[in-house]
Amino acid sequence: MLDETLLDAPEALALADRRDLLRGAAEAGARVRTAARHAAEAGIAELSPEGRPRTVLVAGPGVAAAGVADLIGALAGAAAPVIRLQPTGVAHAAGALRWALPGWAGSMDLLLVPTTDGSEPGLALLVEQAYRRGLTVVAVAPAASPLSDSVNGSRGLFVPLAMAPHETAEESAGTPGAGPVALWALFTPLLALLDRVGLVEAPPEALDQVADRLDRMAERCGPAIATYGNPAKTLAAELADSLPLVWTEGEAAGPVGRRFAAVLAELAGLPALAGELPEALPAHGMLLAGGYAAGADPDDFFRDRVEEPQALRARVVLLRDRPAEAGALSAVPAARELALGHETAISEVEPEAGSALENLAELLAVTDFAAAYLSLASAGLTATAG
């Protein structure tokens, strides 16, 4: 169960935050600026590509790489297919993971390799395979990692992973891969690259705007801001003891919703399901009418709140990638009607008006902060902090 009193106790949150989740979320804007500078220093700004790649392939481990691939695919749209190469192996460990190129991949394709580790032998083998088949390779990884030698030796482009000034290589390696630090350190240089090849509009000034929006969200969602005025704390409190059904509308909201569900599971231990509207309505409709419905157990009122654990109840989270517009085609009214018809509570998150990248950054910031608060205010971490 969520200890809501911890949400408004900044000192207690700091003691519980042993993985620096809140600091990572607060430093997202600074991480974007550092990563953009590293991308420029690596030579991305001077690239003169000869046309767009046929396909963009993305290979890397964990939630961070999966989120980067998903976000790039949404932003690229119809400009080029974006395919994540799924790793195989007997365990999720650097030495056990392997990646393979599709049989059709060749000189017209682009391989992106984002990783916060860089010691994966499977990625080095993939880079060598890509070099033999003529693919262009761009990697983002720690500067002193074995992967940097592989990429440079294969005539690829290597961008050092952005780190905070106070951060050591050992501390960077211990940063949760599902946290915002990993996402923005990997995502930002690849945005700059894809801008140069004409797949995504992300010029330097746009990345500056993203960093500024992340800074503003850190002020709004930080631990010193009380729950009633803090959108991330409010969302965390609303999702406590629930089964979140994350319904998204808009191309950029889809990957944010899927990342939110993955981060909730990995960082907060909370199961969640994500789906895009309007298909989420039939896909999750039975959850609102079945055992997870708000009124599923008529005896729940008489349950011993101390001795018996509370059953999860579905709660809809509506994520939109832009402010609602009057008269716009939208499935949100139908989603509200379905949820309220089953007495299911709804949380809604939408960004302030801005560019597509700024709106995306705001959604990621709110959901990342909310996941961090849910993780820290869980009963286990509360007991540990005390």
Side-chain angles (χ1 to χ4, degrees), residues 54-363:
R54 177 181 61 180
T55 304
V56 178
L57 304 173
V58 184
V63 171
V68 166
D70 205 2
L71 289 165
I72 288 174
L75 293 173
V82 177
I83 301 173
R84 186 192 178 211
L85 303 181
Q86 297 287 344
T88 60
V90 296
H92 195 278
L97 296 175
R98 293 292 182 270
W99 289 261
L101 292 173
W104 46 261
S107 60
M108 298 176 64
D109 305 307
L110 171 65
L111 173 63
L112 306 179
V113 185
T115 173
T116 57
D117 188 335
S119 68
E120 304 92 343
L123 287 178
L125 292 172
L126 180 70
V127 168
E128 294 173 7
Q129 183 186 9
Y131 173 65
R132 291 194 301 269
R133 291 169 58 172
L135 279 81
T136 300
V137 178
V138 179
V140 183
S145 63
L147 184 62
S148 65
D149 295 332
S150 298
V151 174
N152 290 327
S154 300
R155 299 181 183 177
L157 178 63
F158 180 81
V159 182
L161 187 73
M163 294 170 50
H166 57 75
E167 192 174 30
T168 66
E170 291 74 16
E171 290 172 336
S172 178
T175 300
V181 164
L183 176 72
W184 288 109
L186 297 173
F187 186 36
T188 304
L190 300 181
L191 280 176
L193 170 73
L194 296 175
D195 176 73
R196 294 299 299 169
V197 301
L199 295 183
V200 173
E201 290 189 13
E205 56 271 21
L207 296 180
D208 288 340
Q209 292 171 351
V210 166
D212 291 343
R213 179 71 70 97
L214 289 171
D215 287 345
R216 291 198 297 272
M217 295 311 300
E219 294 175 358
R220 290 182 57 197
C221 299
I225 306 302
T227 299
Y228 66 84
N230 187 319
K233 286 184 179 180
T234 298
L235 181 59
E238 291 172 347
L239 295 185
D241 305 314
S242 74
L243 173 66
L245 303 180
V246 185
W247 294 352
T248 65
E249 185 169 76
E251 292 181 357
V256 176
R258 289 186 286 272
R259 171 180 160 79
F260 187 35
V263 171
L264 284 174
E266 184 163 328
L267 296 184
L270 181 65
L273 297 173
E276 297 188 30
L277 293 174
E279 291 187 337
L281 302 182
H284 296 165
M286 286 303 296
L287 293 171
L288 304 184
Y292 295 101
D297 184 2
D299 297 324
D300 184 70
F301 180 79
F302 302 99
R303 176 176 57 83
D304 188 321
R305 305 285 167 174
V306 176
E307 298 297 332
E308 298 179 34
Q310 181 173 330
L312 292 180
R313 295 288 178 252
R315 184 181 187 99
V316 170
V317 180
L318 291 176
L319 292 182
R320 292 186 296 277
D321 66 359
R322 60 179 61 87
E325 298 178 2
L329 184 65
S330 172
V332 169
R336 293 195 189 105
E337 183 178 355
L338 177 64
L340 296 177
H342 290 287
E343 301 179 351
T344 300
I346 302 174
S347 300
E348 299 194 31
V349 181
E350 69 176 31
E352 298 177 357
S355 69
L357 280 178
E358 288 179 281
N359 293 349
L360 176 66
E362 180 169 331
L363 289 182

